[in-house]
Amino acid sequence: MKILFLGAGAFAIPTLAALLRDDSPARIAAIITQPDRPAGRGRTLTPTPIGQYAAEHAPAVPLLKPADVNAPEVLAQLAGFDADAAVVIAFGQKLSPALVATVRDGRMMNLHGSLLPRWRGAGPVNAAILHGDAVTGNTVITIAPRMDAGLILTRPRTPRPITPLTTAGELHDALAADGVELVLEVLRDLPGAFARATVQDESLVTKARKLGRADARLSGSLTAAAARARIHGLTPWPGVSVNVGGLTLKLLRVMDEPAEQMRPPAAPGEATPAPDSQQPSPGGQPQALFGTLLDADAGILAMADRTRLRILEAQPAGGRAMTWAELRRGAGRTLTAGVVLSQPIDPPPSATAGA
């Protein structure tokens, strides 16, 4: 069986690696990814994760990097491979019906990192954590005109649990590994898997929008549980950073304290400032409150509604990830009880901006 493989992001690497093995149920006729793009401070042209992996591990397989995979000349090239099916994972371009038709009987499948119809869209892994889902998983679907609305080919028999300590990066990697067997299962069952495909329940659809750096802005009105979900759902990117005096910390892993472990409520004079409070910074830029350090030894913050958040791991700017105990040893004078953790407030756009 000959297949095409379309992918760009790292989420696709485990499946590509499996399909390149000698025991794979299919042979990859061509790998299609996105063009190289400028990256880093030097803006050096850099291949996608799939482009780099393919160049290193499958140099004999044709590697295509079209700017528009739906362009007529690209469609003609893909049709020339006479593939029996195609696998699409984290590709990043909309796929036209004409593209789907380049493989036999339109057997083009997509591995999506959620239990569809929940979390269609660009950020399903982040969304599952951000919204407090207890479980998640992958779904293999057909390609449809609407994003992630295809027929369901297969889903895991046992969903993957999301623990209170799971970060989006960890969940991403786990789901990428989980997806391998699902794709192989569909390929081994062609054409039967497509004949038995089922329709998604549209009444259960939720959407996961694409995230940006603005999503890393948190509010002092967040409870500990809500802050944990935001921090873990945005780790490693875009990441949540806070200022502590002159120190900038990216919060990597936290835990909302169970009720039986919470400290007594703060005394009236030690109450957490109001959510819209602002704190000055050494540079003069106003700061929005995130939380107040109650217990410096344990790394416990006072959050909204008298909830408590424990910092387990953080990363100083330009440094490595550290436990709270390691941070305290290196910045003991900064990380003391009563210190406020905050985030810079972006200034409003100028009335003459762009003039």
Side-chain angles (χ1 to χ4, degrees):
M1 179 195 309
K2 289 191 301 182
I3 66 170
L4 302 177
F5 187 92
L6 292 83
F11 191 76
I13 289 178
T15 301
L16 175 58
L19 291 171
L20 290 171
R21 293 198 306 254
D22 292 340
D23 61 351
S24 167
R27 179 177 65 83
I28 298 179
I31 298 170
I32 302 92
T33 191
Q34 299 269 28
D36 298 357
R37 291 194 168 89
R41 292 184 178 179
R43 309 305 292 163
T44 304
L45 276 180
T46 303
T48 66
I50 283 297
Q52 182 174 341
Y53 188 91
E56 293 175 357
H57 299 275
V61 178
L63 177 61
L64 313 180
K65 301 180 179 182
D68 179 5
V69 73
N70 300 296
E73 64 275 16
V74 179
L75 296 179
Q77 187 176 12
L78 297 183
F81 289 108
D82 192 27
D84 299 294
V87 174
V88 183
I89 308 176
F91 181 61
Q93 291 189 35
K94 186 175 177 60
L95 309 181
S96 68
L99 175 63
V100 176
T102 61
V103 298
R104 195 176 313 282
D105 298 325
R107 294 193 295 243
M108 186 171 287
M109 69 193 76
N110 171 232
L111 176 69
H112 182 77
S114 79
L115 295 174
L116 291 170
R118 187 159 179 80
W119 302 130
R120 292 180 183 175
V125 177
N126 305 84
I129 296 178
L130 289 169
H131 291 266
D133 292 3
V135 298
T136 189
N138 295 296
T139 308
V140 182
I141 57 174
T142 62
I143 304 300
R146 290 185 297 128
M147 181 178 287
D148 304 326
L151 302 177
I152 294 176
L153 298 170
T154 190
R155 300 204 310 173
R157 292 166 182 80
T158 304
R160 173 169 285 277
I162 301 175
T163 76
L165 293 179
T166 302
T167 67
E170 293 165 342
L171 186 59
H172 169 281
D173 293 349
L175 289 175
D178 291 347
V180 172
E181 190 52 42
L182 291 179
V183 171
L184 296 182
E185 173 189 319
V186 173
L187 289 173
R188 294 187 188 109
D189 191 28
L190 289 181
F194 278 75
R196 293 189 300 274
T198 59
V199 177
Q200 295 184 41
D201 186 342
E202 292 292 325
S203 69
L204 300 178
V205 170
T206 57
K207 300 202 176 162
R209 63 179 177 80
K210 186 176 182 179
L211 297 173
R213 295 190 183 277
D215 292 290
R217 296 294 182 202
L218 304 185
S219 165
S221 62
L222 289 178
T223 64
R228 169 178 55 78
R230 291 288 298 280
I231 291 165
H232 290 172
L234 299 174
T235 296
W237 194 91
V240 174
S241 294
V242 294
N243 294 333
V244 190
L247 183 66
T248 299
L249 294 177
K250 179 181 283 188
L251 303 179
L252 303 178
R253 202 183 307 272
V254 296
M255 173 60 73
D256 46 317
E257 289 285 280
E260 63 270 16
Q261 294 182 18
M262 285 186 182
R263 306 286 169 152
E270 301 172 337
T272 302
D276 60 353
S277 293
Q278 297 183 10
Q279 304 289 330
S281 69
Q285 184 177 10
Q287 304 282 309
L289 172 72
F290 174 70
T292 302
L293 191 58
L294 287 183
D295 186 331
D297 291 330
I300 297 177
L301 302 177
M303 304 296 291
D305 295 338
R306 295 187 180 274
T307 58
R308 306 289 185 265
L309 185 74
R310 183 189 293 264
I311 301 175
L312 302 176
E313 297 176 39
Q315 183 175 2
R320 62 177 179 85
M322 298 183 186
T323 64
W324 180 259
E326 290 173 322
L327 285 166
R328 278 277 287 161
R329 285 197 293 269
R333 292 185 179 181
T334 300
L335 304 176
T336 57
V339 71
V340 171
L341 279 68
S342 59
Q343 291 186 309
I345 298 175
D346 293 328
S350 169
T352 58

